[in-house]
Amino acid sequence: EELEASPNIFYTGATANQQIIPALDYMVEEGYTDVYLVGSDYVFPRTANAIIKAYAEAHGLTILGEEYLPLGVTDGIETIVSNVLGSGATIVFNSMNGDQNVAFFKELTAKGNTPDEIQTISVSIAEEEITGIGVENIEGHLVAWNYYQTTDLPENATFVEAFKGEYGADRVTADPIEAGYVGVKIWAAAAEAAGCVEVDAVKEAAKGLELAAPEGPVTVSDWNQHIYKTGRIGIVNGAGLIDTVWESDGPIEPDPCLANYDWAAAAGLDVTPCDAQLAANQG
């Protein structure tokens, strides 16, 4: 859920510097400087938006609003959308989940918005969610992940074919699905290298382990148990899939406590718990 590095967990999802910060860098490159924050009210969106506000202060972005809804609640979406449309924002950074995304994008469309007017970039909408939202309500909007079904790599072509063969030709893969698959592969490779399934031995064998994954090459950090991942910004296409419009030059080193970002410390983000977890991991 961000700013986390437990010695008891291997993380195959993104750290903030592999998803949120690349999304913000892309926004700056594309000239989106007036931002509205919307999220579900739980740990991840609150933490993500704290990071975004710290980044904004250091990079000249203007945060025009910040709103949350309790998980599972859609009452209030109309008000949030009206506030967004009247704010002067050019982009919404969206960390809502589940049915809230369905209601949000349907309401945006119903009120006449298009991506050319107010763009959105979401960090919890993958291919599986697009069908529920309706392609007509989200086509042309942006997402930030590390993997898409369309990722053009031989390992992914094999993965997608096998996935559809097992679960049906109409099923789609997605970043969380691929990340779960990679987790199993990492454990298997580490157990094979260790020659056993004893926890401490497998953890030690996993340090620095490299795999050719559907998302591209991944490496297990030898000190924080996250993995190096390629950052990708995607755009929803008319077929309900996601096309990559930007990707990092290579896998990004996981920095779960944002230790290498001076602006994070200057803005007062509390990374003490994360630092303590890392110390326990290294010890």
Side-chain angles (χ1 to χ4, degrees), residues 43-232:
V43 172
F44 170 70
R46 290 279 183 178
T47 307
N49 286 342
I51 293 167
I52 292 166
K53 287 184 287 186
Y55 179 102
E57 185 176 336
H59 293 83
L61 302 183
T62 301
I63 305 298
L64 295 173
E66 179 180 3
E67 300 197 52
Y68 300 90
L69 284 177
L71 275 170
V73 173
T74 57
D75 289 344
I77 286 288
E78 289 186 12
T79 299
I80 289 176
V81 169
S82 293
N83 292 343
V84 167
L85 295 177
S87 68
T90 54
I91 193 164
V92 175
F93 200 106
N94 170 37
S95 54
M96 290 194 292
N97 280 267
D99 289 344
Q100 291 175 343
N101 277 320
V102 177
F104 179 71
F105 281 95
K106 285 186 175 180
E107 185 66 15
L108 271 178
T109 301
K111 282 190 160 56
N113 184 67
T114 68
D116 291 335
E117 295 170 7
I118 300 178
Q119 180 58 273
T120 70
I121 189 161
S122 302
V123 290
S124 296
I125 294 175
E127 288 86 342
E128 283 200 309
E129 286 75 33
I130 291 171
T131 300
I133 293 169
V135 175
E136 67 277 10
N137 297 314
I138 197 170
E139 182 180 359
H141 286 280
L142 300 169
V143 297
W145 292 101
N146 307 103
Y147 166 87
Y148 307 115
Q149 180 172 296
T150 58
T151 297
D152 188 15
L153 293 169
E155 292 82 5
N156 188 43
T158 301
F159 173 65
V160 171
E161 181 180 3
F163 180 88
K164 288 179 175 291
E166 180 68 21
Y167 299 108
D170 59 337
R171 289 290 305 276
V172 291
T173 59
D175 186 287
I177 293 172
E178 191 268 352
Y181 172 85
V182 169
V184 174
K185 290 294 187 179
I186 287 172
W187 180 87
E192 183 176 3
C196 67
V197 295
E198 196 275 327
V199 171
D200 288 342
V202 172
K203 286 176 64 175
E204 186 63 29
K207 292 180 177 180
L209 190 148
E210 299 179 4
L211 288 177
E215 67 184 82
V218 300
T219 304
V220 180
S221 169
D222 61 3
W223 65 282
N224 65 40
Q225 295 181 180
H226 288 264
I227 64 174
Y228 289 63
K229 296 172 73 70
T230 300
R232 291 185 172 93

Side-chain angles (χ1 to χ4, degrees), residues 248-268:
S248 58
D249 292 337
I252 301 168
E253 180 180 0
D255 184 4
C257 299
L258 301 181
N260 295 316
Y261 296 86
D262 292 341
W263 52 262

